[in-house]
Amino acid sequence: MASNLSSTVYASRRKELLALVNQLRAVGAQNELDLPRITVIGNQSAGKSSVVEAISGITVPRDAGTCTRCPMECRLFSSSNAWACRISIRIEFDDDGNRLREVAENIFIGNITDKSQVEFALRRAQFAVLNPEISWDKILKSPIEELKKLVNAKSLPFSQNVVCVDLEGPDLTDLSFIDLPGLIQNAQPEVVQLVEDMVVSHIKGNCIILVAVPMTDDIENQKALRLASQEDPDGRRTIGVLTKPDMLTTGSTKVARLWLDVLEDRRHLLRHGYYCTRQPDDDERSASIEQKKAREIEEKFFKTTTPWCQSVNPTRFGTQNLVSTLSRLLVQVIDEHLPQIREDASKQLSECRKELTRIPSPISDEPATYMLAIVTSFCSDFRTLVRGSADSAELIRLHRRSYGTFKNTIRKTAPSFVPFEASQTVSDFYNCLDDEEDDPVARVSAIGKSTMNLTEVRNHINLSLTRELPNNVPYEAKASLMARFQESWPKAVDDCFRSVESDTLAVLTKMIEKHFGRFSLLQSQMKNLVKALLDEHKAHCNIMLDYVLEAEHVPFTQNGHYYESCKQGWLTKYRAVRSGKVGEEELDPQVKRHRVAAPGFESSTFLNTNSASKGGPATSNLFSFTGLGNRHAPEKSPSPIPSASSMFGLPPSTPLTSGNGPFASRPIQFPTATTEPKPAPSQQAFTVAQDSDSETNRATERMNSNSPDKQTVQEAIALLVKAGLPVASLDPMDLLGKLIPPDEYETELGVMAEVRGYFQVAYKRMIDNVPNYIDLLFVRKLGKSLQPHLISKLGMGTPSANERCGSLLGEDPMLVLRREELLARRKRLESVEKELDAYSLRM
């Protein structure tokens, strides 16, 4: 039957496919690809060796207990040539069971033509696998009886390395299979698990599982069948082969019928079913029965023995039927999976090549030259980060974040003064000016916060008095208040610098790993050198930052315009809040914003520009100045401001021009008087709060009732000019403000405004100076000095530069190992691709 198959086109294709897979295995492709295969498994003493002998036609070693201790791969080729055998050993794992990077299959015994010599050759080959410390030459020359004496403590109980048997002859069917050690029960637990793990690893994937099941045992007791079921739950890849049918006694009719049910697919169903073989018994083997004779005895047994001869499916009996089915299924699986094998091989080869491009090649330059190049590249990349650019902004972005946090921290230290007495309830006062109201850090309500009121400021001033003249505020009183808001500045500066240092070190560490990662020793050395330079610049920068903080201990500024502007802004706000109360009435607690006069006005000035907005002439209706007198005096009825004629005895019609005084040449300009009726309070622009609350409206009305008439104010100023007084250049409201008595807390308001204004000056100075010094003395200095420092410390300009650099350029062993693994893998996959291409050309 085999010779008939061999003469067909199918047999030719089958031969090519099997040869292809065998060649792929020989180059180690099974490490990368799921190659189709047949694996023979079974419990210990299940008759597995007999099945292997029947399929291969050779005699395998048999001993009491476990004999097969490593996988054996049998590769059968039908040929018109004389029968021949070659034994090789494929080393895939080291002595500890770890898979090797490179697979090597070497010939152990080259050419055997006598079948009787195969068993002894297989024993020597298995001994060589289990004793890798002993040379092959010694094993081949020692008599079989002496091999056991060569066993030492390093001998392995089992091995995953493979004994390969190539058989060629006219009576063989093209087939390839792997025979595994039998599953054992009574042994050390680790040995039992080792064999089981070996079996499981071989029956995964594109594997046809051939399970040997002895008829002398219950099918439920077969561990091999259970493992096959776990890996192939649907039974699509499993074939059962029932062994030892001749060992059933004549009285075992019921047992035989149960096994017949299995063979005829009525019990324990498998997709490919079960086959039954009968192999030579001990007497027949002792008589060295020929393979052909053994098959004839087998055929006669099944045809004449009940119940086998009564089976409705006679093709399930006999070794030859089993071999034909296995050959057909294996070729079918190979044919079906060949396109996927090709695709997987191509994909893995591409990925392997890509990964190799990411791993640097071994160094070929002189160590010092190579070291200089990579250090220069490293320092250049860091200088680019220090300069900052659109595509290299990582470092600067991290530093800006730290500086922004520092700015907010300093801003939160602003002194929180409130223009209220201790007996008054603090209204909704915000510790910021109008131009800061969009800043959430600056816009902080005084309610519920630690504040300093007018009473506390007065007490503070009184406690600071020494030899001052009356109405003079001691310098120390203001200086000590200014020093208070600086108390937490050293910590804020330190936190900012620590953040910048940490971010800089993290970026440098990341760059070191990128540039020097392949050299573990150099990488460690670079981290130490960079950290030392970092600490050096940090110490110098800290000295300067200490000077910056110490300089702030003494109040000073030449930025007089900004200081005066801030001071006046706060004084105006404090006064506005004070003037926004009538008697003991407090501002409406619902007020969310205070509208204050612009810096330069001495009192609350509010303008009505409705006419201009409507297209008419702009008029400046000027309103009240209440709350500037003694706040503790009882409320009095407002006294009208006298007219110009009653004050100076002049008629209302007197021209508003100067006489012969110093201002005679300067005409006095006043806003055009309006004859329109006085607008109702609801139309006026003076608004302490945008609120319709009746109490607020009543307060506004009382304040407006005290307002002098605009025409009267104009007349009064004209008379003052006529009298020769230099008032023509004054704002009318400034002039009027000077005539009204000041707030009793005017001194305290002035101190609060000075301290608050100075904070703004010092705050602006700090949030610029500290980041500037850190950037100059730490970051930029580091970028400038990094390369000279590394070149010097690494000794690249010394006579021993090559020796020193060479000792640091030893590659990371893991990187070397990975490169070697990838190179070995690329070699295997390129061999696979070559074999697949050659097969395509042949077909």
Side-chain angles (χ1 to χ4, degrees), residues 413 415 417 452 460 474-489 552-557 563 567 750-760 762 765:
T413 64
F417 296 116
M452 193 171 188
H460 174 78
Y475 166 79
E476 286 300 327
K478 291 180 282 188
S480 62
L481 289 176
M482 293 174 183
R484 287 185 185 181
F485 62 71
Q486 299 180 20
E487 290 176 354
S488 63
W489 283 11
E552 291 296 332
H553 292 170
V554 179
F556 173 80
T557 183
Y563 170 65
K567 182 180 73 173
V751 171
M752 290 162 54
E754 282 190 63
V755 175
R756 194 62 181 79
Y758 183 74
F759 167 82
Q760 206 68 15
R765 192 162 56 207

mmCIF file of all heavy atoms in Angstrom, residues 413 415 417 452 460 474-489 552-557 563 567 750-760 762 765:
data_model
loop_
_atom_site.group_PDB
_atom_site.id
_atom_site.type_symbol
_atom_site.label_atom_id
_atom_site.label_comp_id
_atom_site.label_asym_id
_atom_site.label_seq_id
_atom_site.Cartn_x
_atom_site.Cartn_y
_atom_site.Cartn_z
ATOM 1 N N THR A 413 0.908 85.786 50.283
ATOM 2 C CA THR A 413 1.428 86.335 51.535
ATOM 3 C C THR A 413 1.091 87.806 51.698
ATOM 4 O O THR A 413 1.552 88.438 52.663
ATOM 5 C CB THR A 413 2.957 86.153 51.612
ATOM 6 O OG1 THR A 413 3.586 86.920 50.565
ATOM 7 C CG2 THR A 413 3.347 84.693 51.466
ATOM 8 N N PRO A 415 -0.241 91.215 52.884
ATOM 9 C CA PRO A 415 -0.870 91.583 54.162
ATOM 10 C C PRO A 415 -2.352 91.888 53.955
ATOM 11 O O PRO A 415 -2.729 92.528 52.980
ATOM 12 C CB PRO A 415 -0.094 92.818 54.604
ATOM 13 C CG PRO A 415 0.573 93.331 53.377
ATOM 14 C CD PRO A 415 0.820 92.166 52.497
ATOM 15 N N PHE A 417 -5.059 93.891 55.320
ATOM 16 C CA PHE A 417 -5.602 94.968 56.147
ATOM 17 C C PHE A 417 -7.069 95.173 55.791
ATOM 18 O O PHE A 417 -7.458 95.052 54.617
ATOM 19 C CB PHE A 417 -4.842 96.273 55.892
ATOM 20 C CG PHE A 417 -3.391 96.209 56.286
ATOM 21 C CD1 PHE A 417 -2.389 96.331 55.326
ATOM 22 C CD2 PHE A 417 -3.014 96.052 57.619
ATOM 23 C CE1 PHE A 417 -1.054 96.282 55.686
ATOM 24 C CE2 PHE A 417 -1.672 96.002 57.977
ATOM 25 C CZ PHE A 417 -0.693 96.108 57.012
ATOM 26 N N MET A 452 -5.903 92.375 59.733
ATOM 27 C CA MET A 452 -5.452 93.388 60.691
ATOM 28 C C MET A 452 -6.309 94.618 60.483
ATOM 29 O O MET A 452 -6.294 95.217 59.392
ATOM 30 C CB MET A 452 -3.968 93.694 60.483
ATOM 31 C CG MET A 452 -3.336 94.489 61.613
ATOM 32 S SD MET A 452 -1.536 94.595 61.424
ATOM 33 C CE MET A 452 -1.084 95.343 62.987
ATOM 34 N N HIS A 460 -0.488 98.882 67.111
ATOM 35 C CA HIS A 460 0.864 98.541 66.656
ATOM 36 C C HIS A 460 1.728 99.794 66.556
ATOM 37 O O HIS A 460 2.895 99.787 66.977
ATOM 38 C CB HIS A 460 0.790 97.836 65.292
ATOM 39 C CG HIS A 460 2.125 97.573 64.670
ATOM 40 N ND1 HIS A 460 2.939 96.535 65.069
ATOM 41 C CD2 HIS A 460 2.801 98.234 63.681
ATOM 42 C CE1 HIS A 460 4.054 96.557 64.360
ATOM 43 N NE2 HIS A 460 3.990 97.575 63.498
ATOM 44 N N PRO A 474 6.587 105.919 63.478
ATOM 45 C CA PRO A 474 7.962 105.398 63.488
ATOM 46 C C PRO A 474 8.240 104.522 62.257
ATOM 47 O O PRO A 474 7.375 103.772 61.808
ATOM 48 C CB PRO A 474 8.019 104.567 64.773
ATOM 49 C CG PRO A 474 6.891 105.063 65.612
ATOM 50 C CD PRO A 474 5.829 105.529 64.666
ATOM 51 N N TYR A 475 9.466 104.661 61.758
ATOM 52 C CA TYR A 475 9.878 103.821 60.625
ATOM 53 C C TYR A 475 9.765 102.344 60.964
ATOM 54 O O TYR A 475 9.317 101.522 60.149
ATOM 55 C CB TYR A 475 11.315 104.175 60.248
ATOM 56 C CG TYR A 475 11.974 103.174 59.333
ATOM 57 C CD1 TYR A 475 11.701 103.158 57.961
ATOM 58 C CD2 TYR A 475 12.874 102.233 59.842
ATOM 59 C CE1 TYR A 475 12.310 102.237 57.132
ATOM 60 C CE2 TYR A 475 13.472 101.305 59.015
ATOM 61 C CZ TYR A 475 13.192 101.304 57.652
ATOM 62 O OH TYR A 475 13.788 100.392 56.843
ATOM 63 N N GLU A 476 10.149 102.000 62.206
ATOM 64 C CA GLU A 476 10.115 100.597 62.602
ATOM 65 C C GLU A 476 8.694 100.028 62.591
ATOM 66 O O GLU A 476 8.493 98.839 62.372
ATOM 67 C CB GLU A 476 10.717 100.423 63.996
ATOM 68 C CG GLU A 476 12.234 100.542 64.040
ATOM 69 C CD GLU A 476 12.901 99.480 63.168
ATOM 70 O OE1 GLU A 476 12.361 98.361 63.060
ATOM 71 O OE2 GLU A 476 13.951 99.778 62.589
ATOM 72 N N ALA A 477 7.703 100.864 62.842
ATOM 73 C CA ALA A 477 6.317 100.381 62.835
ATOM 74 C C ALA A 477 5.948 99.867 61.448
ATOM 75 O O ALA A 477 5.315 98.816 61.293
ATOM 76 C CB ALA A 477 5.368 101.498 63.269
ATOM 77 N N LYS A 478 6.349 100.616 60.423
ATOM 78 C CA LYS A 478 6.042 100.185 59.053
ATOM 79 C C LYS A 478 6.990 99.061 58.610
ATOM 80 O O LYS A 478 6.564 98.104 57.946
ATOM 81 C CB LYS A 478 6.142 101.384 58.097
ATOM 82 C CG LYS A 478 5.041 102.405 58.314
ATOM 83 C CD LYS A 478 5.147 103.577 57.375
ATOM 84 C CE LYS A 478 6.222 104.554 57.829
ATOM 85 N NZ LYS A 478 6.228 105.811 57.034
ATOM 86 N N ALA A 479 8.239 99.151 58.989
ATOM 87 C CA ALA A 479 9.209 98.134 58.578
ATOM 88 C C ALA A 479 8.852 96.769 59.149
ATOM 89 O O ALA A 479 8.998 95.734 58.482
ATOM 90 C CB ALA A 479 10.619 98.531 59.007
ATOM 91 N N SER A 480 8.393 96.758 60.406
ATOM 92 C CA SER A 480 8.052 95.468 61.008
ATOM 93 C C SER A 480 6.825 94.852 60.338
ATOM 94 O O SER A 480 6.729 93.634 60.199
ATOM 95 C CB SER A 480 7.809 95.632 62.501
ATOM 96 O OG SER A 480 6.705 96.498 62.732
ATOM 97 N N LEU A 481 5.876 95.692 59.931
ATOM 98 C CA LEU A 481 4.720 95.165 59.194
ATOM 99 C C LEU A 481 5.141 94.620 57.837
ATOM 100 O O LEU A 481 4.615 93.608 57.364
ATOM 101 C CB LEU A 481 3.667 96.264 59.013
ATOM 102 C CG LEU A 481 2.909 96.699 60.276
ATOM 103 C CD1 LEU A 481 1.973 97.862 59.957
ATOM 104 C CD2 LEU A 481 2.110 95.539 60.849
ATOM 105 N N MET A 482 6.089 95.296 57.202
ATOM 106 C CA MET A 482 6.591 94.821 55.906
ATOM 107 C C MET A 482 7.355 93.509 56.056
ATOM 108 O O MET A 482 7.329 92.651 55.168
ATOM 109 C CB MET A 482 7.487 95.885 55.275
ATOM 110 C CG MET A 482 6.750 97.155 54.865
ATOM 111 S SD MET A 482 7.854 98.455 54.273
ATOM 112 C CE MET A 482 6.684 99.785 53.965
ATOM 113 N N ALA A 483 8.025 93.359 57.221
ATOM 114 C CA ALA A 483 8.789 92.133 57.430
ATOM 115 C C ALA A 483 7.876 90.926 57.662
ATOM 116 O O ALA A 483 8.263 89.791 57.374
ATOM 117 C CB ALA A 483 9.725 92.307 58.616
ATOM 118 N N ARG A 484 6.668 91.187 58.158
ATOM 119 C CA ARG A 484 5.779 90.076 58.470
ATOM 120 C C ARG A 484 5.407 89.276 57.237
ATOM 121 O O ARG A 484 5.381 88.037 57.259
ATOM 122 C CB ARG A 484 4.503 90.600 59.146
ATOM 123 C CG ARG A 484 4.705 91.073 60.571
ATOM 124 C CD ARG A 484 3.379 91.456 61.201
ATOM 125 N NE ARG A 484 3.564 92.029 62.521
ATOM 126 C CZ ARG A 484 2.559 92.434 63.289
ATOM 127 N NH1 ARG A 484 1.303 92.327 62.852
ATOM 128 N NH2 ARG A 484 2.801 92.957 64.480
ATOM 129 N N PHE A 485 5.093 89.964 56.138
ATOM 130 C CA PHE A 485 4.659 89.210 54.951
ATOM 131 C C PHE A 485 5.812 88.466 54.281
ATOM 132 O O PHE A 485 5.612 87.670 53.382
ATOM 133 C CB PHE A 485 3.917 90.108 53.948
ATOM 134 C CG PHE A 485 4.715 91.253 53.365
ATOM 135 C CD1 PHE A 485 5.748 91.033 52.459
ATOM 136 C CD2 PHE A 485 4.395 92.555 53.695
ATOM 137 C CE1 PHE A 485 6.443 92.085 51.901
ATOM 138 C CE2 PHE A 485 5.092 93.622 53.134
ATOM 139 C CZ PHE A 485 6.128 93.389 52.240
ATOM 140 N N GLN A 486 7.064 88.716 54.730
ATOM 141 C CA GLN A 486 8.215 88.019 54.155
ATOM 142 C C GLN A 486 8.621 86.767 54.940
ATOM 143 O O GLN A 486 9.550 86.073 54.547
ATOM 144 C CB GLN A 486 9.410 88.971 54.088
ATOM 145 C CG GLN A 486 9.200 90.196 53.222
ATOM 146 C CD GLN A 486 10.425 91.088 53.195
ATOM 147 O OE1 GLN A 486 11.528 90.655 53.506
ATOM 148 N NE2 GLN A 486 10.233 92.350 52.823
ATOM 149 N N GLU A 487 7.925 86.510 56.035
ATOM 150 C CA GLU A 487 8.353 85.417 56.907
ATOM 151 C C GLU A 487 8.362 84.062 56.200
ATOM 152 O O GLU A 487 9.227 83.224 56.451
ATOM 153 C CB GLU A 487 7.440 85.361 58.141
ATOM 154 C CG GLU A 487 7.648 86.537 59.087
ATOM 155 C CD GLU A 487 6.669 86.504 60.252
ATOM 156 O OE1 GLU A 487 5.775 85.625 60.240
ATOM 157 O OE2 GLU A 487 6.794 87.347 61.165
ATOM 158 N N SER A 488 7.423 83.821 55.316
ATOM 159 C CA SER A 488 7.351 82.524 54.624
ATOM 160 C C SER A 488 8.057 82.529 53.272
ATOM 161 O O SER A 488 8.041 81.523 52.565
ATOM 162 C CB SER A 488 5.884 82.116 54.426
ATOM 163 O OG SER A 488 5.217 83.039 53.589
ATOM 164 N N TRP A 489 8.680 83.656 52.916
ATOM 165 C CA TRP A 489 9.329 83.720 51.605
ATOM 166 C C TRP A 489 10.516 82.766 51.472
ATOM 167 O O TRP A 489 10.694 82.167 50.404
ATOM 168 C CB TRP A 489 9.763 85.154 51.312
ATOM 169 C CG TRP A 489 8.592 86.028 50.906
ATOM 170 C CD1 TRP A 489 7.272 85.715 51.000
ATOM 171 C CD2 TRP A 489 8.660 87.353 50.376
ATOM 172 N NE1 TRP A 489 6.495 86.750 50.560
ATOM 173 C CE2 TRP A 489 7.316 87.784 50.157
ATOM 174 C CE3 TRP A 489 9.679 88.223 50.056
ATOM 175 C CZ2 TRP A 489 7.010 89.021 49.645
ATOM 176 C CZ3 TRP A 489 9.381 89.471 49.533
ATOM 177 C CH2 TRP A 489 8.071 89.874 49.325
ATOM 178 N N GLU A 552 15.821 91.883 51.014
ATOM 179 C CA GLU A 552 14.427 92.277 51.205
ATOM 180 C C GLU A 552 14.115 92.604 52.665
ATOM 181 O O GLU A 552 13.041 93.125 52.965
ATOM 182 C CB GLU A 552 13.496 91.163 50.719
ATOM 183 C CG GLU A 552 13.491 90.953 49.226
ATOM 184 C CD GLU A 552 12.954 92.164 48.472
ATOM 185 O OE1 GLU A 552 12.134 92.915 49.044
ATOM 186 O OE2 GLU A 552 13.363 92.363 47.311
ATOM 187 N N HIS A 553 15.027 92.300 53.580
ATOM 188 C CA HIS A 553 14.763 92.592 54.993
ATOM 189 C C HIS A 553 14.681 94.096 55.256
ATOM 190 O O HIS A 553 14.029 94.522 56.208
ATOM 191 C CB HIS A 553 15.848 91.979 55.874
ATOM 192 C CG HIS A 553 15.815 90.482 55.878
ATOM 193 N ND1 HIS A 553 16.819 89.706 56.438
ATOM 194 C CD2 HIS A 553 14.912 89.604 55.382
ATOM 195 C CE1 HIS A 553 16.518 88.423 56.289
ATOM 196 N NE2 HIS A 553 15.370 88.348 55.649
ATOM 197 N N VAL A 554 15.379 94.892 54.435
ATOM 198 C CA VAL A 554 15.351 96.356 54.580
ATOM 199 C C VAL A 554 14.502 96.927 53.456
ATOM 200 O O VAL A 554 14.836 96.759 52.278
ATOM 201 C CB VAL A 554 16.769 96.949 54.519
ATOM 202 C CG1 VAL A 554 16.715 98.467 54.640
ATOM 203 C CG2 VAL A 554 17.633 96.355 55.614
ATOM 204 N N PRO A 555 13.368 97.572 53.775
ATOM 205 C CA PRO A 555 12.499 98.131 52.723
ATOM 206 C C PRO A 555 13.256 99.142 51.876
ATOM 207 O O PRO A 555 13.911 100.058 52.394
ATOM 208 C CB PRO A 555 11.369 98.790 53.507
ATOM 209 C CG PRO A 555 11.360 98.098 54.833
ATOM 210 C CD PRO A 555 12.781 97.777 55.125
ATOM 211 N N PHE A 556 13.186 98.958 50.564
ATOM 212 C CA PHE A 556 13.866 99.880 49.648
ATOM 213 C C PHE A 556 13.281 99.711 48.259
ATOM 214 O O PHE A 556 12.971 98.592 47.840
ATOM 215 C CB PHE A 556 15.366 99.581 49.598
ATOM 216 C CG PHE A 556 16.098 100.384 48.551
ATOM 217 C CD1 PHE A 556 16.459 101.704 48.799
ATOM 218 C CD2 PHE A 556 16.397 99.840 47.321
ATOM 219 C CE1 PHE A 556 17.119 102.459 47.826
ATOM 220 C CE2 PHE A 556 17.059 100.584 46.345
ATOM 221 C CZ PHE A 556 17.422 101.890 46.603
ATOM 222 N N THR A 557 13.152 100.842 47.556
ATOM 223 C CA THR A 557 12.787 100.792 46.142
ATOM 224 C C THR A 557 13.122 102.117 45.487
ATOM 225 O O THR A 557 13.035 103.179 46.122
ATOM 226 C CB THR A 557 11.294 100.482 45.950
ATOM 227 O OG1 THR A 557 11.028 100.381 44.545
ATOM 228 C CG2 THR A 557 10.396 101.563 46.531
ATOM 229 N N TYR A 563 5.458 102.528 43.206
ATOM 230 C CA TYR A 563 5.144 102.470 44.632
ATOM 231 C C TYR A 563 4.058 103.472 45.002
ATOM 232 O O TYR A 563 3.087 103.137 45.693
ATOM 233 C CB TYR A 563 6.417 102.734 45.437
ATOM 234 C CG TYR A 563 6.172 102.942 46.913
ATOM 235 C CD1 TYR A 563 5.670 101.924 47.708
ATOM 236 C CD2 TYR A 563 6.426 104.188 47.507
ATOM 237 C CE1 TYR A 563 5.436 102.112 49.060
ATOM 238 C CE2 TYR A 563 6.189 104.391 48.857
ATOM 239 C CZ TYR A 563 5.692 103.352 49.632
ATOM 240 O OH TYR A 563 5.449 103.556 50.963
ATOM 241 N N LYS A 567 0.420 102.619 46.413
ATOM 242 C CA LYS A 567 0.035 103.159 47.715
ATOM 243 C C LYS A 567 -1.230 103.999 47.595
ATOM 244 O O LYS A 567 -2.163 103.863 48.401
ATOM 245 C CB LYS A 567 1.186 103.997 48.274
ATOM 246 C CG LYS A 567 0.879 104.573 49.667
ATOM 247 C CD LYS A 567 2.039 105.383 50.187
ATOM 248 C CE LYS A 567 2.132 106.728 49.438
ATOM 249 N NZ LYS A 567 3.150 107.622 50.015
ATOM 250 N N GLY A 750 -3.034 105.501 56.126
ATOM 251 C CA GLY A 750 -1.799 105.761 55.388
ATOM 252 C C GLY A 750 -0.766 104.666 55.590
ATOM 253 O O GLY A 750 -0.090 104.245 54.649
ATOM 254 N N VAL A 751 -0.623 104.192 56.834
ATOM 255 C CA VAL A 751 0.333 103.105 57.109
ATOM 256 C C VAL A 751 -0.085 101.840 56.367
ATOM 257 O O VAL A 751 0.748 101.152 55.752
ATOM 258 C CB VAL A 751 0.413 102.849 58.633
ATOM 259 C CG1 VAL A 751 1.222 101.584 58.909
ATOM 260 C CG2 VAL A 751 1.051 104.035 59.336
ATOM 261 N N MET A 752 -1.359 101.504 56.428
ATOM 262 C CA MET A 752 -1.848 100.323 55.709
ATOM 263 C C MET A 752 -1.565 100.439 54.213
ATOM 264 O O MET A 752 -1.130 99.474 53.565
ATOM 265 C CB MET A 752 -3.353 100.145 55.963
ATOM 266 C CG MET A 752 -3.677 99.709 57.393
ATOM 267 S SD MET A 752 -5.411 99.998 57.880
ATOM 268 C CE MET A 752 -6.285 99.152 56.590
ATOM 269 N N ALA A 753 -1.820 101.603 53.658
ATOM 270 C CA ALA A 753 -1.606 101.802 52.220
ATOM 271 C C ALA A 753 -0.125 101.695 51.871
ATOM 272 O O ALA A 753 0.251 101.123 50.839
ATOM 273 C CB ALA A 753 -2.164 103.150 51.782
ATOM 274 N N GLU A 754 0.751 102.262 52.746
ATOM 275 C CA GLU A 754 2.190 102.180 52.482
ATOM 276 C C GLU A 754 2.670 100.725 52.494
ATOM 277 O O GLU A 754 3.408 100.285 51.610
ATOM 278 C CB GLU A 754 2.951 102.992 53.530
ATOM 279 C CG GLU A 754 2.935 104.488 53.293
ATOM 280 C CD GLU A 754 3.897 105.204 54.224
ATOM 281 O OE1 GLU A 754 5.112 104.930 54.118
ATOM 282 O OE2 GLU A 754 3.449 106.004 55.052
ATOM 283 N N VAL A 755 2.282 100.002 53.529
ATOM 284 C CA VAL A 755 2.731 98.604 53.643
ATOM 285 C C VAL A 755 2.176 97.777 52.495
ATOM 286 O O VAL A 755 2.885 96.975 51.872
ATOM 287 C CB VAL A 755 2.284 98.017 55.000
ATOM 288 C CG1 VAL A 755 2.631 96.524 55.065
ATOM 289 C CG2 VAL A 755 2.952 98.753 56.142
ATOM 290 N N ARG A 756 0.891 98.001 52.209
ATOM 291 C CA ARG A 756 0.273 97.219 51.115
ATOM 292 C C ARG A 756 0.861 97.580 49.762
ATOM 293 O O ARG A 756 1.070 96.718 48.909
ATOM 294 C CB ARG A 756 -1.241 97.453 51.128
ATOM 295 C CG ARG A 756 -2.021 96.469 50.303
ATOM 296 C CD ARG A 756 -1.847 95.051 50.838
ATOM 297 N NE ARG A 756 -2.592 94.111 50.024
ATOM 298 C CZ ARG A 756 -2.188 93.653 48.846
ATOM 299 N NH1 ARG A 756 -1.023 94.042 48.363
ATOM 300 N NH2 ARG A 756 -2.912 92.779 48.159
ATOM 301 N N GLY A 757 1.148 98.855 49.570
ATOM 302 C CA GLY A 757 1.772 99.277 48.317
ATOM 303 C C GLY A 757 3.183 98.735 48.183
ATOM 304 O O GLY A 757 3.602 98.318 47.101
ATOM 305 N N TYR A 758 3.936 98.762 49.318
ATOM 306 C CA TYR A 758 5.293 98.242 49.251
ATOM 307 C C TYR A 758 5.297 96.736 48.982
ATOM 308 O O TYR A 758 6.190 96.232 48.287
ATOM 309 C CB TYR A 758 6.052 98.535 50.546
ATOM 310 C CG TYR A 758 7.489 98.058 50.471
ATOM 311 C CD1 TYR A 758 8.443 98.739 49.715
ATOM 312 C CD2 TYR A 758 7.881 96.891 51.111
ATOM 313 C CE1 TYR A 758 9.749 98.279 49.617
ATOM 314 C CE2 TYR A 758 9.182 96.422 51.016
ATOM 315 C CZ TYR A 758 10.107 97.118 50.274
ATOM 316 O OH TYR A 758 11.394 96.659 50.159
ATOM 317 N N PHE A 759 4.327 96.019 49.539
ATOM 318 C CA PHE A 759 4.256 94.580 49.231
ATOM 319 C C PHE A 759 4.178 94.366 47.723
ATOM 320 O O PHE A 759 4.838 93.480 47.170
ATOM 321 C CB PHE A 759 3.043 93.929 49.893
ATOM 322 C CG PHE A 759 2.770 92.541 49.353
ATOM 323 C CD1 PHE A 759 3.474 91.445 49.821
ATOM 324 C CD2 PHE A 759 1.841 92.338 48.322
ATOM 325 C CE1 PHE A 759 3.254 90.173 49.310
ATOM 326 C CE2 PHE A 759 1.624 91.075 47.802
ATOM 327 C CZ PHE A 759 2.325 89.990 48.295
ATOM 328 N N GLN A 760 3.356 95.197 47.059
ATOM 329 C CA GLN A 760 3.198 95.013 45.618
ATOM 330 C C GLN A 760 4.524 95.202 44.901
ATOM 331 O O GLN A 760 4.861 94.470 43.965
ATOM 332 C CB GLN A 760 2.141 95.993 45.086
ATOM 333 C CG GLN A 760 1.435 95.545 43.828
ATOM 334 C CD GLN A 760 0.532 94.343 44.059
ATOM 335 O OE1 GLN A 760 0.222 94.014 45.204
ATOM 336 N NE2 GLN A 760 0.140 93.693 42.991
ATOM 337 N N ALA A 762 7.623 94.811 46.282
ATOM 338 C CA ALA A 762 8.521 93.713 46.638
ATOM 339 C C ALA A 762 8.076 92.400 45.993
ATOM 340 O O ALA A 762 8.902 91.587 45.562
ATOM 341 C CB ALA A 762 8.577 93.564 48.161
ATOM 342 N N ARG A 765 9.089 92.301 42.464
ATOM 343 C CA ARG A 765 10.539 92.147 42.388
ATOM 344 C C ARG A 765 10.937 90.689 42.627
ATOM 345 O O ARG A 765 11.767 90.124 41.919
ATOM 346 C CB ARG A 765 11.172 93.057 43.434
ATOM 347 C CG ARG A 765 12.655 93.254 43.330
ATOM 348 C CD ARG A 765 13.079 94.484 44.107
ATOM 349 N NE ARG A 765 12.660 94.431 45.501
ATOM 350 C CZ ARG A 765 12.421 95.495 46.247
ATOM 351 N NH1 ARG A 765 12.542 96.704 45.725
ATOM 352 N NH2 ARG A 765 12.059 95.361 47.517
#
